[in-house]
Amino acid sequence: MRHGFRRLDEILRGDATRMSRLHQGRIDVPIGGLSVVVTALAVIYGACMGSFSVIRTGGTEWMQVVGSAVKLPLLFFLTLVVTFPSLYVFNALVGSRLTLLSTLRLLIAMLGVILAVLASLGPIIVFFGISTTSYPFMKLLNVIVCTVSGLMGLAFLLRTLHRLVLVQDLDEAGSRADPGDGTDDAGGEDVTETGGGALDLVDGRTSQKASAVFKIWVVMFALVGAQMGWVLRPFIGSPSLPFAWFRGRESNFFVDVFDAIGRLFAGG
Amino acid sequence: MTGFLARADEVLRARPAVLSGSGLRRRLVELLVLMAGCGFVYGVVMGGYGGGRWLQMLYSGLKVPLLIAATFLISLPSFFVFNTLLGLRRNFPTVLRALAATQAGLTIILASFAPLTAFWYASVGDYQAAKLFNLAMFGMASVTAQLVLKRFYRPLIAANPRHRLALRVWLVIYAFVGVQMGWVLRPFIGSPEMATRFFREGAWGNAYVEVFRAAARLISP
């Protein structure tokens, strides 16, 4: 567990995705160790989300905390399972040379970034959950928090994809120029490293290949993620409804968000 | 006492000594004591409205440091992760000291306003006016504390311009939490018609929802 957190920390600092460590388009992330950490962070954030329901019912509805803590890791991993095959196929079609395993590693690393941001915002969610009576406010606050973390994860994904493409191009160029002994395969080090964070854009531009893969992934991930969240609700727990593991299949995520905004303006 | 004042002076002038030098833990404890002391002074004066309600004065004295410490602690984890993602992790010990010093700075400024508040209480008896005056004092102290924070951040921004973005992120998180914390911890002044309590019963709610409600009433009365 501690090792997993250390690896997550490397990802967050940007050490795991430095050009010098991305050789041959491989990303060095332990899938198992990181999955455990991602699950732990998701459980923490899920419990934070459920805190609102406990306070509103006067401390009787602890099941919502348990339910959300179980369902939040599910939300992320199910989204990954549903989208992974098509993500990989598009990725191959566009001509990126990410292998199946590298794609999975990259996506798990992205989940790590998203959940680190989410879990770190957990105390704010608990604080508002304890002190707020307005259900629409809590819904919107959670949507905003999830959007912010999602954007962070996507920024990480775009930067890393770009770096991977860049490294591969350099490797290819290096091996073509020097087919003999191949000692000069450290072409990646020619690119100046800013020594910055995980969200830094090396070279100041994004390659077309990376951004094509990225656009498809963003749409897939956002749509499937939002709908998965809707299918798995309730996470916060409406104060007027009893606890249930799942709710009916009516309406959808986007309609409900607009509805919540309307309610907030109509007086909470 | 002179040591206390010297520390406060260092913070207000944003002396580099506050940020550099060894002994992170000792510095943080010093800043914490400074924050608690000055916050207590302002809180006691703030709770002194109407005169003679000793319990309210004590409560308010405890609540002002609580307000600032709780807001700071709740905002810190996400700010740490954002700093890491922005690649600013190496400077985080300095950032932490700058932020802690700013919290102390905020209460020093507030404490310096305490005589003004006392004077206002003595000259204008109205409860609504007292609330508005305290709101204005807190607002002014927050804006002034920004200056202190900007001074602390200047060398950091010079070293890496991305600290400017981090500073903005901090202000958004801190203000968002701080407003609600102030709302939850009411009453600070204590209505003269109500019994003195640490927390006001039924006062929990949401400052932002109240604002929306007020706005909605304004649009369609």
Side-chain angles (χ1 to χ4, degrees), chain A residues 9 12-13 113 116-117 120-121 123-124 127-128 130-132 134 137 141 148 152 197-200 264-265 267-268, chain B residues 74-75 77-78 80-82 84-87 89-90 162 173 176-177 180-181 184 204-206 208-209 212-213 216:
Chain A
D9 191 47
L12 292 177
R13 282 162 172 253
V113 172
V117 177
S120 73
L121 287 163
I124 297 180
F127 168 57
F128 275 91
I130 290 172
S131 60
T132 299
S134 166
F137 179 86
L141 182 63
V148 167
M152 292 292 204
L199 305 187
D200 272 326
L264 198 57
F265 273 106
Chain B
I74 289 179
S75 311
S78 44
F80 173 73
V81 172
F82 281 120
T84 308
L85 275 174
L86 287 171
R89 176 70 161 271
R90 216 173 306 151
R162 197 158 302 159
I173 300 174
F176 182 68
V177 175
Q180 171 71 358
M181 191 63 81
V184 168
W204 291 45
N206 188 311
Y208 300 102
V209 174
F212 278 123
R213 242 177 238 164

Side-chain angles (χ1 to χ4, degrees), chain B residues 97-117:
Chain B
R97 273 192 258 193
L99 293 176
T102 305
Q103 309 309 308
L106 176 63
T107 56
I108 295 166
I109 296 162
L110 266 180
S112 78
F113 289 164
L116 294 177
T117 307

